[in-house]
Amino acid sequence: MMMAEANNQFRIQISHNSLKAKSREVFIGQVFGLLIGLGGLCTAAFLGYLGESTAASVIGGTTVVGLVTAFIQGRKVETSDSKKRATN
């Protein structure tokens, strides 16, 4: 009986560590996404200031669209994974 309890405690600890790692990974991804987005928008603003409106609109537009798409796709994958786990 003690061995089963120890095994259960071990599984709980592994799940806890996995959840913490996933949370850290998501946070780091959000920070890097923010930095990339701000970098792209600052670059677009600087190019706009220099009078390069075409380049500024392309860089600014692709930065925003790319980040929004990445977040939407990430949420879709996360939602479908949750649904798969719920049915199993």
Side-chain angles (χ1 to χ4, degrees):
M1 186 61 99
M2 290 177 66
M3 201 164 77
E5 288 176 359
N7 189 23
N8 189 33
Q9 189 63 28
F10 176 73
R11 288 176 188 252
I12 290 171
Q13 186 65 34
I14 292 293
S15 295
H16 179 70
N17 290 346
S18 174
L19 186 60
K20 282 176 56 176
K22 179 69 173 171
S23 176
R24 191 176 319 120
E25 179 183 331
V26 168
F27 177 74
I28 290 171
Q30 289 176 341
V31 168
F32 280 113
L34 174 68
L35 292 175
I36 291 169
L38 288 176
L41 292 176
C42 286
T43 302
F46 182 68
L47 286 172
Y49 174 76
L50 293 178
E52 300 291 336
S53 59
T54 304
S57 62
V58 168
I59 290 175
T62 56
T63 299
V64 172
V65 170
L67 285 173
V68 168
T69 303
F71 278 110
I72 289 173
Q73 290 297 326
R75 294 202 190 275
K76 282 183 182 178
V77 169
E78 192 173 296
T79 304
S80 67
D81 285 347
S82 299
K83 287 179 183 178
K84 287 178 185 177
R85 280 189 225 126
T87 57
N88 289 336

